[in-house]
Every structure is written in C-alpha cells, then in structure tokens.
Amino acid sequence: MSSVSSGLDVERLRSCEFPLSSACAYLNHAASSPLPRRSAEALRRYGETRLRPDLRYRSGGPGHDSGPLRRALADAINCDPSEIGFVPSTSDGVGIVANAIDWRPGENVVFPECEYPGVVYPWLNLARRGVEARMVPAPLGHVDHDTLAALIDDRTRAVMVSHVEWSSGFRVDVERLGELCRKRGILLVVDAIQSLGVTPVDVKAMRADVLVAGCYKMLMGIPGTAVLYVRRDAMPGLLPDRAGQESVKTPMLDRPELVWKDDAHRYQVGSESLAALYVLESSLGLLLEAGVSRTHAHILGLIDRLAAGLGARGFTVTSSLTPHARSTIMSFTSGGREKDAALHGYLLERDVVVSLRPYGVRVSPHLYNTREDVDRLLGALS
C-alpha cells in the first residue's frame, strides 16, 4: 500500500483505526467523517457511564472535565484556553456572535456569496434590526480579496468568511483579511469547519476575533458540538443574547443573578454535549499524534495526483490550484449539473464516496486515504 512521503503511517491508520477503508474509497470528509475506532470506543465508554450514573453521584466524583480538551484545542490554534467554548453547531456559533453585536440601523456585514447557507442565515436574520447583508461575488466559489474589501465601508461592523470554502475548497487569505479588519475595527468571524484538523490554523496570525468549527467533518467527531473561539479583547463588545446556568458566575443554589462569566463560557447556555466531547477528545488526540502539518502535506499530495488524473481524462477542475488558495478539498465537473449528478451516482455505485456540490463533484480526502483511493476514483472515471 503506497502513500505520499508525508511521514504518516497510513497503513497502520487504515488497519487499526478506519475499517471502512477496506470496503470503499471514502473521500467525503467535507460532508461527514467516519469515526476512528478509538473514538467509537470512547463513545461506547460514555454510553456505559449513562447505564450507571448512580456510581458517580454515590462517589461524589466530578463529571467529565473538558479542561484538558480546551487546553489541547487552544494549543492547536494558538490561543488561551479561556477563549475556547463549545456550542451545538457552527451555525449556532455564528448566530450567537451575530446577535451579540450591538447593531445600529444602517450598519452592514460583509461575506462571500458562496458561504454555506447555514452560516448565512444568521446574518440575513438581522434585516429586522436594520442591518444590511452584503454578499461578495465569488465566481466558482473563489474569493477575491480586493472584491471583498471594496464592499467594506465605514458602516461595516463585521466580516464573515470561511477559511476553506465548503463547495469549491478555495482557501481564503484570512491573514490578509484579518489585517484589514483589525486596522478598521471590524469584527472578523471565521468558519473553520473545513480546515481545523487538516490545515494549520493560527487565530493570532489570522487576527480572527471569532472562529467556529463544527466537529463532525475534518475533526472526525460527531454532530452535537462545535469549537467556538472568541478573542478575549473582543468579548466586552459581544454581549450574549441568551443566558443560562453555564454562562453566568452565580452558583446553582444561590439566588439567580445575571453576572456573566469572564471567559468563553459566557456563550454557552446549557449543558455541554458530553458524548460529542468524549469523541472529540479522542479524535483530536489522533489528529495531533499524526500532526496537522504532516496530514496537510499528505492530503495535498493526494490532491495533486487527483488533479493530474482528472486533466488527463478531460475533466475540468473547478477548485483553485494556486499555492495560496488550494486546500484539502477539490471539486471538478464533467461539463454540466445533470452530467455531474449522473457521475456522482455512478461513483457511489462503485464504492467511491464523494459529494455532489454546486461546482461539481467534490472530493475531500483525509489522513488515512492513499494513492490507491485516488486511483480507484480515477479508474472509475476511465
């Protein structure tokens, strides 16, 4: 079994952690990732704790401590653990932030037109508060910095962008955009659901004020939780629009008093999804063991092989292949939406799992995929 020279022990990963690799070429992680075997086991262990919750209450022992997970995530994205929280989904995180801004009628938010609908709706919902949503043209899902910057003016309060666009795989120059936003006092909100785990993320280098990433895609978790980073200096200007026991300092048995917590916990309303956190802790451990930079290099090698094979077979790659904008996701087309839909179904019938998206067939490998997986896809196209 071959692999690119990234330093990953792909054969061990496939045999020990990803049993589906023997049954199909799974190249659909931008939609939903399979669980590593160790994470499925962590989920089973969590289920066992729910069979006998009396044991914990009798012993007086604490529940699950998410502190180590927060610290690991903080190290991974270069922030302080107090700036990390957990919310139910990426859309929830974006909605929390959108509603936390003290908007004035006539102000605006700017984002590319190619963003995933779930993170667009929270901004469109601000129209009832007199907020204008400005959509930046992005042909084929490619985001041009200058085109985006041209829509920013003195009444722009926030800019939202994906680090890696969901359909095209275009990697936005967030560092450049972050510098512009910081200079102008504009909040920068980054959706990292398609990058965190397989692409290096540094929130300080990005100058991101907020970063949200659901955990069931590249982080190899399950639905039910998303990582929410909020820069500490930005928190005073982002007053939560909802409150619950987890967001306030007041002890549960005391008289209720609305005193916000000083850290990212203030954006959490109720109990954390412990099952999802158990899984995330395990999967993140695997990803950090492998190394995000090594994983990124490994996947880009697979993308290179795929791009060359597609070109040789007459297909058109719709994703950007320029070094600064390429990512671990690639889309290609056979010439039209109906043809692409038929091709998508044809690939699934041959146990090559990919997605159909607006710019064609989308392919998204991960750390355990191999050249043979790519060749299986290309062979089916032949």
Side-chain angles (χ1 to χ4, degrees):
M1 182 175 296
S2 62
S3 172
V4 293
S5 56
S6 60
L8 290 177
D9 188 350
V10 177
E11 187 170 357
R12 184 190 65 81
L13 287 168
R14 289 170 75 88
S15 62
C16 297
E17 297 287 357
F18 297 97
L20 91 165
S21 60
S22 63
C24 67
Y26 192 87
L27 301 165
N28 200 29
H29 300 84
S32 179
S33 176
L35 286 184
R37 194 186 298 273
R38 68 176 70 183
S39 302
E41 177 64 19
L43 186 58
R44 185 191 65 79
R45 290 196 301 272
Y46 171 74
E48 289 181 349
T49 69
R50 300 304 301 166
L51 286 172
R52 291 296 305 274
D54 60 304
L55 297 177
R56 180 173 71 83
Y57 287 108
R58 288 177 180 178
S59 67
H64 183 69
D65 178 13
S66 62
L69 176 56
R70 279 185 164 83
R71 291 190 289 272
L73 286 165
D75 288 342
I77 68 173
N78 191 24
C79 72
D80 189 86
S82 66
E83 297 172 307
I84 295 286
F86 300 107
V87 293
S89 69
T90 307
S91 297
D92 277 293
V94 172
I96 288 168
V97 172
N99 289 313
I101 299 172
D102 184 21
W103 296 99
R104 296 290 183 271
E107 293 177 333
N108 66 75
V109 57
V110 176
F111 53 85
E113 65 180 2
C114 59
E115 293 299 329
Y116 185 73
V119 296
V120 168
Y121 293 131
W123 305 108
L124 298 182
N125 193 39
L126 296 172
R128 57 185 176 178
R129 296 169 63 177
V131 178
E132 178 190 1
R134 295 183 174 179
M135 296 192 193
V136 181
L140 291 178
H142 297 196
V143 181
D144 179 70
H145 175 85
D146 293 337
T147 304
L148 191 155
L151 287 185
I152 295 174
D153 61 20
D154 292 340
R155 306 211 73 181
T156 301
R157 293 289 302 279
V159 170
M160 191 209 71
V161 70
S162 291
H163 186 199
V164 171
E165 294 296 342
W166 70 287
S167 186
S168 65
F170 187 92
R171 180 160 58 91
V172 176
D173 188 349
V174 180
E175 290 81 1
R176 185 182 179 192
L177 181 59
E179 183 176 4
L180 172 65
C181 290
R182 188 66 58 87
K183 284 181 178 178
R184 300 188 63 167
I186 296 168
L187 193 79
L188 176 62
V189 181
V190 179
D191 174 0
I193 194 172
Q194 300 292 11
S195 61
L196 188 56
V198 295
T199 302
V201 171
D202 184 332
V203 292
K204 287 187 171 61
M206 289 178 171
R207 293 179 175 83
D209 296 296
V210 176
L211 183 140
V212 191
C215 298
Y216 64 98
K217 297 180 186 284
M218 300 308 181
L219 284 170
M220 295 190 150
I222 59 174
T225 198
V227 179
L228 173 66
Y229 157 79
V230 182
R231 185 169 64 90
R232 177 166 287 280
D233 290 346
M235 290 182 191
L238 293 173
L239 188 65
D241 70 326
R242 65 203 76 181
Q245 186 59 48
E246 295 301 314
S247 52
V248 299
K249 293 181 178 180
T250 312
M252 182 172 61
L253 300 182
D254 287 7
R255 177 186 175 90
E257 184 179 2
L258 187 59
V259 180
W260 300 107
K261 288 182 178 176
D262 298 322
D263 58 16
H265 280 90
R266 61 169 50 193
Y267 303 105
Q268 297 182 205
V269 177
S271 300
E272 296 170 336
S273 174
L274 293 186
L277 294 185
Y278 266 69
V279 171
L280 176 59
E281 196 167 49
S282 180
S283 292
L284 181 65
L286 173 63
L287 293 171
L288 295 179
E289 285 173 18
V292 175
S293 294
R294 284 195 297 271
T295 296
H296 190 243
H298 170 74
I299 301 174
L300 289 184
L302 300 178
I303 292 294
D304 286 341
R305 188 178 187 87
L306 176 62
L310 289 170
R313 288 162 176 79
F315 292 90
T316 300
V317 174
T318 54
S319 298
S320 175
L321 295 177
T322 58
H324 72 276
R326 66 194 300 244
S327 74
T328 64
I329 298 172
M330 175 178 284
S331 289
F332 69 94
T333 182
S334 58
R337 183 162 295 185
E338 290 186 3
K339 289 183 179 180
D340 289 343
L343 179 59
H344 174 246
Y346 179 84
L347 290 171
L348 290 179
E349 289 174 359
R350 282 149 185 79
D351 297 321
V352 178
V353 184
V354 291
S355 283
L356 181 65
R357 292 294 182 259
Y359 308 114
V361 175
R362 186 186 67 186
V363 184
S364 48
H366 213 301
L367 80 170
Y368 67 93
N369 288 118
T370 63
R371 291 173 177 173
E372 285 78 11
D373 291 329
V374 172
D375 290 345
R376 186 168 180 172
L377 187 158
L378 293 173
L381 296 181
S382 297

